[in-house]
Amino acid sequence: MNENIKKNELINSCEIDRRKTVLDSTPLYVTLGTHFNCNAQCIFCLGGDYPSFTLETFKTLFEPKLGKIMRAAVHLGFCGFGETLLMPDIVEFLEYLNLTLPDVNKAFTTNGIALSKNVSELMLNGKYSLMVSLHASNAELHRIMTGTNAFDKIISNIRFLVAQKKARKSPLHINLVFLATTQNIDDLPAFVQFAADLGVDRVTCNHINLYQPEQFRLSCFFIQDKANEVFNRAEIIAQHCGVTLILPPRFGKYPAPLPGAIRCHDPWNFFYVETQGSVNPCCYAGNHIGYITENDFNDIWNGPDYIRMREGHISGNIHSWCKYCFRYDVNNINDIRSHVTFRPETQKMMLQYLKEHADEYPVSPETLEL
């Protein structure tokens, strides 16, 4: 880590401790919504039509607006709708990142199909983290989850990366991602064992975020006891195998957070900007809070929306986007509103659907109000 990144990290930590709302530090975690056409049809995906990310977009939009910010970040993520590694100039893009941002950890989310030898070589020779959205330990379940027949190819790509990482002592960090649904939850313990056998660094499991009424049937919110039991078994296997496992909170009651405690650091250290220039303060936010195509970075970062979110975490007068988020209060994991998108109109539609289908999806009536 270079001195510029270390200094920014130290200042940011001090500003959080001092409860500052206008910051001198810049975000430690910057994620670019690098949208591109997808080659899978995952059952939990939002879908949609988004502008395609290119190397030219990076050079003409992101670098002029965020170049200094990206160079001071601990983590620079590339995670949009679709599959970023399918962009035609992906090799040139990775070469450019290795040249211009050698000290920043560059994290790519991928389904693993497009991990060609050229792409893998560039990641092995740079500073990268790779999040492979796999979701299953076997080909048949993977096909159900992703709509592809690419499981064997993906696993071959992962085996190559793991072997080369060990041989070269590469810093590449490999993380297998498992979005827990009613379709694959029983497979999580086997998935953890499979990840350990492959030799990857980490397994990350999350609940799905719900955007469409038909996705309610996929949510583990409605099989809470089973989900908890599976999480417990997966954790035991991870400890036995020595693989790092990141799980969402179990369902159940937790101690109330301490008054005045800052429970989520995203308003102080996270910045997400999409290919079209729209900015969100976290991965769950309900609306955009600015556009780097129209505003300077600092006018957004220390603008009224970011300041309001920081003040809300300090005072307890929390922003509506944060109110039902489990990252703000872990007890919200027991509230269906923490599993539904915070996009206002979609959120209202989803909660109205639950009201109309109470026999099928029983929830507490008070959790259907906003």
Side-chain angles (χ1 to χ4, degrees), residues 184-198:
N184 68 341
I185 184 67
D186 285 320
D187 187 55
L188 180 59
F191 186 86
V192 173
Q193 180 67 62
F194 185 58
D197 293 342
L198 286 172

Side-chain angles (χ1 to χ4, degrees), residues 10 86 110 130 132 164 198 214 250 255 258 262 271 289 293 301 330 359 366:
L10 178 61
L86 285 178
T110 175
L130 195 62
V132 183
Q164 292 299 310
L198 286 172
E214 56 266 28
R250 269 74 159 182
L258 295 174
I262 294 177
F271 193 86
I289 62 170
T293 49
W301 182 238
V330 68
D359 292 341
E366 62 269 18

Side-chain angles (χ1 to χ4, degrees), residues 271 278-281 285 287-291 295 300 305-306 309 321:
F271 193 86
S278 49
V279 174
N280 286 349
N287 278 318
H288 303 140
I289 62 170
Y291 291 82
N295 312 110
I300 302 174
D305 288 301
Y306 259 108
M309 295 189 79
W321 296 344

Side-chain angles (χ1 to χ4, degrees), residues 134 155-156 158-159 162-163 166 176 193-200:
L134 194 60
I155 299 308
S156 176
I158 293 172
R159 291 189 192 279
V162 171
K166 292 178 180 177
L176 299 191
Q193 180 67 62
F194 185 58
D197 293 342
L198 286 172
V200 302

